[in-house]
């Protein structure tokens, strides 16, 4: 079966712009989580969506937002980009909320802010 | 701050040797998971151990969990060059549906 698909794979944006990243979970998975990975802060939780509702949110500013559609696909948006937003953004899907059996991650979107 | 702390930060071994990585965490958990990441790509789920389990095996992987010490270890036996990667422990926090990751251990297996 197809894995978690993240698009685009690479992105270069200018400071102050906004960006939208997309994640298609494994078919049948209803939970989608987003993580940011940077060399300085490591892997940090952004938010989790389940059945189109945000269930949990990490400690990120309001510039970071997301949503989930009825087909479980998810998007995250970052507005007013800052240099520090440069990171690998990873999406993870699981069958149910909380992933009692582990998460399946996508290959990530590498965002560079210049 | 990240809940999980891992040691060592980096480990270099010869092919065929065993590799042991340790992870400590701070709060109550539902389960603890180990993931592998190759060259800044996506994370691959390796193994999950629940809070009421003490040891689990999967192929060449052995994971232990000591909830009294809030620590876990991952043992990779008979390592191969293909095992070269970063390894992360992640705790599924008891009071929320999110993973809290450690800083990771960079493993290099020399052939």
């Amino acid at each position: 079966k197809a894995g978690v698909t993240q698009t685009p794979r690479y992105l270069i944006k200018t400071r102050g712009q906004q960006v939208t990243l997309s994640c298609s979970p494994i078919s049948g998975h209803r939970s989608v989580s987003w993580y940011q990975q940077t060399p300085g802060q490591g892997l940090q939780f952004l938010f989790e969506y389940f059945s189109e509702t945000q269930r949990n949110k990490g400690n990120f500013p309001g510039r970071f937002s997301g949503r989930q559609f009825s087909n479980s696909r998810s998007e995250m948006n970052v507005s007013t980009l800052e240099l520090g937003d440069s990171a690998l953004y990873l999406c993870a899907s699981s069958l149910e909320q909380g992933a009692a059996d582990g998460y399946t991650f996508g290959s990530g979107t590498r965002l560079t802010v210049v | 701050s990240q809940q999980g702390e891992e040691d060592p930060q980096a480990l270099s071994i010869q092919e065929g040797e065993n590799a042991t990585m340790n992870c400590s965490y701070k709060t109550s958990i539902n389960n603890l998971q180990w993931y592998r990441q190759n060259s800044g790509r996506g994370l691959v789920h390796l193994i999950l151990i629940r809070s009421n389990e003490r040891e689990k095996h999967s192929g060449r992987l052995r994971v232990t969990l000591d909830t009294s010490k809030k620590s876990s270890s991952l043992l990779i036996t008979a390592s191969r060059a293909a095992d070269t990667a970063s390894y992360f422990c992640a705790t599924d926090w008891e009071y929320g549906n999110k993973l809290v990751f450690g800083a990771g251990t960079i493993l290099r297996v020399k052939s």
Side-chain angles (χ1 to χ4, degrees):
Chain A
K1 58 182 178 181
V4 178
T5 303
Q6 290 190 247
T7 56
R9 288 294 309 279
Y10 301 93
L11 205 50
I12 300 175
K13 288 287 187 179
T14 303
R15 203 168 32 174
Q17 288 186 314
Q18 73 157 12
V19 67
T20 299
L21 312 181
S22 178
C23 172
S24 293
I26 289 175
S27 178
H29 282 197
R30 298 192 292 164
S31 172
V32 174
S33 303
W34 289 88
Y35 291 81
Q36 181 198 63
Q37 185 177 28
T38 60
Q41 298 299 315
L43 282 151
Q44 295 190 87
F45 172 79
L46 280 157
F47 24 65
E48 179 185 21
Y49 287 88
F50 180 79
S51 293
E52 301 178 65
T53 302
Q54 186 180 91
R55 301 294 177 141
N56 205 348
K57 190 177 190 303
N59 189 25
F60 278 81
R63 299 184 298 106
F64 291 81
S65 63
R67 58 178 176 170
Q68 186 179 33
F69 302 95
S70 58
N71 61 358
S72 293
R73 189 177 72 86
S74 177
E75 290 181 346
M76 68 162 280
N77 183 77
V78 187
S79 62
T80 320
L81 284 165
E82 300 176 359
L83 296 179
D85 297 333
S86 294
L88 179 66
Y89 289 88
L90 293 164
C91 164
S93 79
S94 61
L95 190 60
E96 297 293 336
Q97 187 181 6
D101 295 314
Y103 292 83
T104 302
F105 281 80
S107 296
T109 293
R110 186 164 296 280
L111 171 67
T112 303
V113 182
V114 298
Chain B
S1 63
Q2 293 177 351
Q3 174 175 230
E5 298 296 331
E6 295 177 64
D7 81 275
Q9 291 185 332
L11 183 59
S12 183
I13 59 174
Q14 290 293 136
E15 206 166 28
E17 294 181 338
N18 295 341
T20 299
M21 289 160 261
N22 303 294
C23 167
S24 63
Y25 58 92
K26 296 177 184 175
T27 65
S28 297
I29 61 172
N30 288 321
N31 60 63
L32 186 143
Q33 305 173 31
W34 286 89
Y35 289 83
R36 184 186 73 227
Q37 184 177 41
N38 292 86
S39 303
R41 300 292 298 274
L43 297 164
V44 175
H45 180 258
L46 296 175
I47 193 166
L48 179 153
I49 186 165
R50 303 186 195 287
S51 60
N52 61 353
E53 297 176 310
R54 292 298 167 257
E55 186 171 315
K56 199 162 183 180
H57 296 255
S58 177
R60 293 184 296 114
L61 306 179
R62 172 179 169 255
V63 170
T64 62
L65 178 64
D66 187 334
T67 53
S68 67
K69 295 181 180 178
K70 291 187 168 56
S71 67
S72 173
S73 67
L74 171 68
L75 168 68
I76 304 174
T77 60
S79 63
R80 306 165 181 167
D83 294 329
T84 295
S86 294
Y87 291 81
F88 295 90
C89 71
T91 49
D92 197 355
W93 192 44
E94 187 177 29
Y95 300 106
N97 300 310
K98 65 178 184 180
L99 290 179
V100 179
F101 283 88
T105 293
I106 300 171
L107 173 65
R108 181 187 172 206
V109 181
K110 296 176 284 188
S111 56

